[in-house]
Each structure stands twice: as structure tokens, then as C-alpha cells.
Amino acid sequence: MDFYWGWILDPVFYGDYPTIMKEYVGNRLPKFTKKEKYMLKGSTDFVGINYYTSRFARHESNRTKIMYDNYDALAVSEASNIDGKILGYKDQYGWNNVYPEGLYNFLVYIKEKYKNPKIYIT
């Protein structure tokens, strides 16, 4: 979650990137100055969310096997879990899995991690 959402939201709510990102990415991650951290922290009025689907996350320690996701996270997102289970059901176009619980869970995550910000679902 920190590599998908925290790298954007943590700076504007807390003034810096998530700790795990700083550990995994190291000196390739830009560093904020004290002034920039001060300016960023609390600089947002709301969070806008585009939600399409939910996916499973799988640990992958071999970065060369990670093709489409952020290889620094050492994880890949997949439509099904190890047992072949998918979340929800296919939409009318067959593109995404419809999984309303995923949106609910994400909203709870945002509420708890970022202290109940104003959220717009766009």
C-alpha cells in the first residue's frame, strides 16, 4: 500500500515518504528539504480516489521477475491468489473484477492511516 498510495499521500499528510520506501529505494528516492517537508505536510484539502478493482499482492524477492509493478516494493499485484480465487466478479466488459468490499476496505485504510481526511470518489 505504501508503494501504491503512500508515496503520494504520506508527503502531503506527513511531510515525507513512507519509511519502507526510503529503506527499499534508498538514494534513488528524492529527498525533501526541511522547508519542502514543512510546505508539504498538511497541504491537501481532500483525497480524490478513482477506484476500478482490487487485486491480490504477492511477495517477489527477485526484482528481475517483476515486469509491470514497482519492483522496489518486492511485490506484484495479481488478479487471483495462489488457489486461483479472484476478488468479486467480472464487469460487463470482462476487463475488471467488480469488488465493492475493496473500495470499502480502501476507504477504511485511508481513514485510519491519514486521520479521516475528506474523500471524493471520482
Side-chain angles (χ1 to χ4, degrees):
M1 295 295 276
D2 280 338
F3 276 84
Y4 274 88
W5 304 106
W7 75 284
I8 296 168
L9 294 177
D10 275 30
V12 297
F13 281 96
Y14 302 120
D16 206 352
Y17 295 113
T19 302
I20 195 167
M21 286 192 76
K22 292 189 284 186
E23 290 174 10
Y24 282 23
V25 180
N27 62 6
R28 290 181 295 116
L29 188 66
K31 297 198 178 7
F32 296 115
T33 65
K34 286 183 182 182
K35 182 178 180 182
E36 289 169 333
K37 289 179 183 185
Y38 176 79
M39 290 172 57
L40 279 168
K41 188 176 180 178
S43 64
T44 188
D45 296 323
F46 65 92
V47 175
I49 296 173
N50 290 331
Y51 176 83
Y52 298 98
T53 191
S54 289
R55 298 178 58 88
F56 290 97
R58 179 180 55 80
H59 174 71
E60 178 56 69
S61 60
N62 185 344
R63 288 184 169 136
T64 62
K65 292 183 178 182
I66 302 173
M67 302 302 288
Y68 302 108
D69 290 321
N70 184 327
Y71 67 86
D72 284 313
L74 300 179
V76 293
S77 62
E78 298 182 327
S80 61
N81 69 6
I82 195 166
D83 299 323
K85 177 186 175 190
I86 63 168
L87 295 169
Y89 54 90
K90 287 288 183 198
D91 66 15
Q92 64 184 352
Y93 306 106
W95 296 343
N96 287 312
N97 292 341
V98 176
Y99 187 63
E101 295 91 340
L103 176 57
Y104 173 82
N105 293 337
F106 183 60
L107 292 172
V108 169
Y109 170 81
I110 295 293
K111 177 181 178 176
E112 292 174 357
K113 181 163 185 179
Y114 300 106
K115 302 178 181 127
N116 201 24
K118 184 180 289 187
I119 296 174
Y120 292 99
I121 301 173
T122 58

